Structure formats: C-alpha cells, structure tokens
Amino acid sequence: MWCKFIKFVREKTQNHIIMYGKFQSYLQQELKAIDEAGLYKRERTICSPQGAEITLEDGSKALNFCANNYLGLSDNPRLVAAAKKAMDERGYGMSSVRFICGKQDLHRELEKAVSDYFHTDDTILYAACFDANGGVFEPLLTAEDAIISDSLNHASIIDGVRLCKAVRYRYANADMAELEKCLQDAQAQRFRIIVTDGVFSMDGNVAPMDKICELAEKYDALVMVDESHSAGVVGKHGRGVAELYDLYGRIDIHTGTLGKSFGGAVGGFTTGRQEIIDMLRQRSRPYLFSNSLPPMICAAGIETFKILSESDELHDRQQENVAYFREKMIAAGFDIKPTQSAICAVMLYDAPLSQKFAAAMAEEGIFVTGFYYPVVPKGQARIRVQISAAHRTEHLDRAITAFIKVGKELGVI
Ligand SMILES: *Cc1c(COP(=O)(O)O)cnc(C)c1O
C-alpha cells in the first residue's frame, strides 16, 4: 500500500517535471531572445541611502542622475525621524485592509495633507500609484462611457483603462487636434473622461492642461491627470499642473505617488472631488483588497508635506539645478529636448550609441539611463538625466564634464 503510494507520488512528480521542462525551455528561449535584443534589464546594487552620491556593492561611489528623487527627500533626516517615531509609537504594519480593520489617524492626516497640497476635496491612499491608476476607472465608468487617453500615458493608466469596460479613445502625445476629434467621436457616450500624465517621463514635457481643460469644458468631459512626475516639480511652488496653469477647480481627479518627489518610499493616492473619492472607497479594488500603508510611511508622508509647506527651498534649488545643467549642456553643444520639468533628454538618435554612452558615463561614475525603441520612438534614442534638489553644483559640474568627455570620445559633440 505504502509502496504503491510512493510510486504514485513519484509518477506524479515525474509528470510535473516533464511539464515544467517544456515550460522551462520556452522561458529560457524567451529570456535569451530578450538578452540578444539588448533588452535584458540588469540591476545595480546600492549599499547606501538613495541620494546624489551613492555607494555600490564594491565600495565604489557614483553620482546618481537617474532617480526620481526630485526634491532630494529620499534620505531626509526629518522623514527618517518621523518614520522611526511612528514605528516606536504605532508599530510596524497594519495587517489588514481599511474596510475590515479601519485606519490609523495617521492615514487620515496624510490624506488631508495631500488634499491641502493639491487644493482638492479629499484623498484616498493606495499602496502605490500603480494601484491608484489601476483602481480609478472601473469603479466610476461603465460600457456607456468613454476614456480618452494620451498615447504616452504611463503603463499603470493603460492597465487601469483595460480593466474598465468604457469605450477607449487614444490621441497622439499632447496633440490637441486629435484630442478634439476624439471628444467629437465620443459625444454618443454618457460620460467622457480625458486622462493624461502631467509630465511625460521620456521628453520631460508638460501636458497642455490649459487646452485640455478648455476642450473638456467645450465637449463636456471630466479631466484626470497623473502627477507622478509633475508634483514637486512644475508650478511656482512645485505643486503640479493645476498650479502651473492656474486650473484649480477644473481638474476632477489627480493621481500621484509618494515614490518620487514625496520621499521616494512607496505609496500612491487619488485626490479630487468628494463624491469621486467616496465612490473609490466603496468600489476601488486595489483599495478594498490590498493592505493599508504602514504607519511609518504615513508619518513620513505627513512630514514631507509639512516640509514643503514651510518653504520652497527644495523646489527652488531643483529648478536652479535644472536651469544650470541645461544651460551648460547646450553651451557644450548637446541637443537637449526643451524640458519643462526636472527630466532632461539628451538626444543621441541612435540606439547602440545611447547604450555605449550610458556605459561610458557609468565608467566616469555618473549614472544616467540610455533609452531607445520601444521605450521611445524609433530614431529617438537618448540619455535621460533626472535633476534633483540633492545635487550640488559640484555634482552637476562633474556630470557635465563627464558628458563632454564621453560626448567627444563618441563623436557626439
Ligand atoms: C512612477 C509612476 C507611476 C507609478 O508610481 P508607483 O507609486 O511607483 O506605483 C504611475 N504613474 C506615473 C506617470 C509614474 O511616473
């Protein structure tokens, strides 16, 4: 009996191994193809806090120009202290979702701080902006409605749209004539929503929100903007696209992340009109079925918005750094996209060159990222540089010097 059972299990295991064998060789081939196409993503290991200067596993140091650390808050001592204090007082995790176990006062305080920052009615927190975007459309819209989306919107918006039954329209990046055409075509639907990134991550351009709002009003549509790369960056005080274009009260939904300008840990939010936020609390699946943010993240988030309400120092420094970097790079002969954010695209137009360039910069101790098709259009390969308030002039100068050296070596300038 026992022997028979062992034999049975062995056969089952054997069958399973044969099955996995087929799947395994399929995966191995796919991975090899990714690698041969030069698209295999390899990761560095950092052994220091995130910041302008980082230490790697082998003890070497490098300057970081590819983090979303726009306000330099990733290693801010006030945020670290706030997180530690919350951990001492409120423990480590929430071990539940909000509708079952409730929230801490810290969650509501952070939601209030986000609403104050963006001048909105209310805010709902998520584990990430990926979840905020994934959970925003399906609870609000049905097959009777229309979503009109910029073609360069973030992957999480694209996924969120896929989860919703609304009719989909797409317009070329920031193309207002195409948007108008979509709005005309979508007049048969019950409700329409236009959705766009605030700042697009590859060119660093800002969505033309003033024109988007005008068209929305002309064609009776709601407006949603993802502020992940715009919050903390654009606008007089860095408060995003509503401040930049003076559109307070005319944008219905903003989504955003705590993972970029706002401390760089994790967490996302949707902020906007009261009934929209109320409905998301009832029906948004990533909110209902995923854990609440840990208290330390909320406390550090509250401290972030406190820092930003006290002074514009970080935002001002970031803007000065962007201007300084751009000016010196253009003077050196580089072709830089006309950025309106903290993202500077140094155009190379050639895919292998972009990889060679980024690798040579790493040799010089400067981390920047080379992007090429399919991340950017064919023939639009570039180096993306992300400027932070954490960079000192000396850091910017070292990066510019390295750019000039590598640029000359590779015949770019
Ligand atoms: C980074 C980013 C996200 C994802 O944010 P997470 O909080 O890291 O999930 C969403 N949208 C845009 C536009 C982003 O740039």
Side-chain angles (χ1 to χ4, degrees):
M1 176 64 203
W2 182 241
C3 269
K4 227 171 150 188
F5 178 69
I6 298 271
K7 187 160 170 282
F8 173 77
V9 169
R10 221 176 253 156
E11 270 169 20
K12 280 273 174 212
T13 313
Q14 205 57 39
N15 287 343
H16 196 90
I17 286 171
I18 291 166
M19 169 52 215
Y20 181 62
K22 282 186 271 177
F23 189 54
Q24 184 183 38
S25 55
Y26 158 76
L27 290 181
Q28 286 168 341
Q29 275 168 25
E30 288 289 302
L31 287 164
K32 194 157 159 266
I34 293 171
D35 202 8
E36 282 167 4
L39 298 172
Y40 200 95
K41 295 173 185 68
R42 291 183 171 79
E43 297 174 5
R44 296 180 182 109
T45 304
I46 301 172
C47 295
S48 66
Q50 182 64 281
E53 189 165 44
I54 51 179
T55 308
L56 304 182
E57 233 171 346
D58 64 0
S60 67
K61 289 191 189 302
L63 295 182
N64 197 355
F65 281 86
C66 55
N68 302 309
N69 187 17
Y70 296 129
L71 295 172
L73 288 170
S74 304
D75 61 348
N76 184 283
R78 280 178 64 179
L79 302 198
V80 175
K84 279 183 183 162
K85 182 163 175 282
M87 199 131 60
D88 287 341
E89 290 173 2
R90 298 300 178 77
Y92 177 65
M94 291 298 291
S95 306
S96 182
V97 301
R98 282 169 70 159
F99 85 93
I100 295 176
C101 269
K103 61 200 174 283
Q104 291 191 352
D105 49 349
L106 296 174
H107 293 87
R108 275 310 284 159
E109 240 181 274
L110 176 56
E111 287 174 343
K112 171 91 172 47
V114 173
S115 311
D116 289 347
Y117 187 86
F118 288 98
H119 297 208
T120 45
D121 297 341
D122 201 0
T123 299
I124 174 173
L125 295 172
Y126 289 85
C129 186
F130 208 103
D131 292 324
N133 286 332
V136 70
F137 300 105
E138 187 259 349
L140 300 174
L141 303 168
T142 71
E144 287 182 76
D145 306 315
I147 302 171
I148 306 169
S149 178
D150 189 290
S151 63
L152 289 191
N153 279 344
H154 189 261
S156 54
I157 294 178
I158 294 167
D159 285 9
V161 172
R162 279 188 190 141
L163 294 170
C164 174
K165 294 201 167 61
V167 183
R168 300 163 200 173
Y169 296 87
R170 212 168 76 125
Y171 59 96
N173 179 231
D175 185 328
M176 293 298 98
E178 275 195 25
L179 170 59
E180 183 157 18
K181 176 77 174 49
C182 291
L183 283 161
Q184 287 163 352
D185 292 347
Q187 287 302 304
Q189 272 88 45
R190 180 182 58 165
F191 301 122
R192 286 152 293 283
I193 187 167
I194 304 168
V195 52
T196 180
D197 282 12
V199 162
F200 294 91
S201 65
M202 287 301 139
D203 286 6
N205 57 316
V206 182
M209 287 312 297
D210 47 348
K211 300 201 180 73
I212 289 174
C213 285
E214 271 169 37
L215 285 171
E217 283 143 25
K218 183 168 173 197
Y219 291 99
D220 196 16
L222 298 160
V223 176
M224 168 178 150
V225 58
D226 180 336
E227 299 259 23
S228 291
H229 287 286
S230 47
V233 179
V234 307
K236 186 160 184 287
H237 307 283
R239 294 189 174 210
V241 293
E243 183 183 56
L244 178 68
Y245 292 107
D246 193 15
L247 293 171
Y248 287 117
R250 293 171 68 190
I251 296 171
D252 303 283
I253 302 173
H254 307 249
T255 57
T257 180
L258 301 176
K260 293 188 170 109
S261 285
F262 302 141
V266 288
F269 54 83
T270 300
T271 189
R273 302 206 192 273
Q274 190 63 58
E275 298 75 15
I276 292 175
I277 304 304
D278 289 345
M279 184 56 83
L280 294 176
R281 277 196 216 284
Q282 298 306 309
R283 298 229 177 113
S284 180
R285 292 163 69 85
Y287 180 79
L288 291 173
F289 302 113
S290 189
N291 232 22
S292 316
L293 284 175
M296 59 182 160
I297 296 287
C298 296
I302 294 163
E303 191 68 15
T304 296
F305 289 104
K306 190 150 175 269
I307 291 172
L308 300 182
S309 71
E310 286 167 7
S311 117
D312 286 340
E313 188 192 333
L314 295 174
H315 178 249
D316 292 348
R317 203 180 314 148
Q318 168 213 85
Q319 292 292 301
E320 283 161 23
N321 285 350
V322 173
Y324 183 88
F325 181 82
R326 274 181 54 76
E327 192 186 311
K328 298 258 157 147
M329 288 289 284
I330 290 168
F334 283 102
D335 176 4
I336 309 238
K337 283 251 180 192
T339 187
Q340 300 157 297
S341 62
I343 293 166
C344 293
V346 182
M347 300 307 293
L348 299 173
Y349 303 101
D350 180 80
L353 178 61
S354 71
Q355 297 310 290
K356 225 187 273 175
F357 205 111
M361 290 294 286
E363 287 292 310
E364 299 293 321
I366 312 287
F367 287 166
V368 290
T369 319
F371 287 109
Y372 59 99
Y373 183 80
V375 181
V376 294
K378 277 210 169 97
Q380 291 282 308
R382 84 257 332 251
I383 299 282
R384 182 177 74 176
V385 181
Q386 291 174 284
I387 305 289
S388 165
H391 293 130
R392 295 194 303 268
T393 310
E394 161 223 350
H395 297 139
L396 299 169
D397 285 338
R398 271 164 61 192
I400 294 158
T401 305
F403 260 108
I404 292 171
K405 176 166 181 249
V406 173
K408 282 184 178 152
E409 277 166 13
L410 297 178
V412 175
I413 52 166

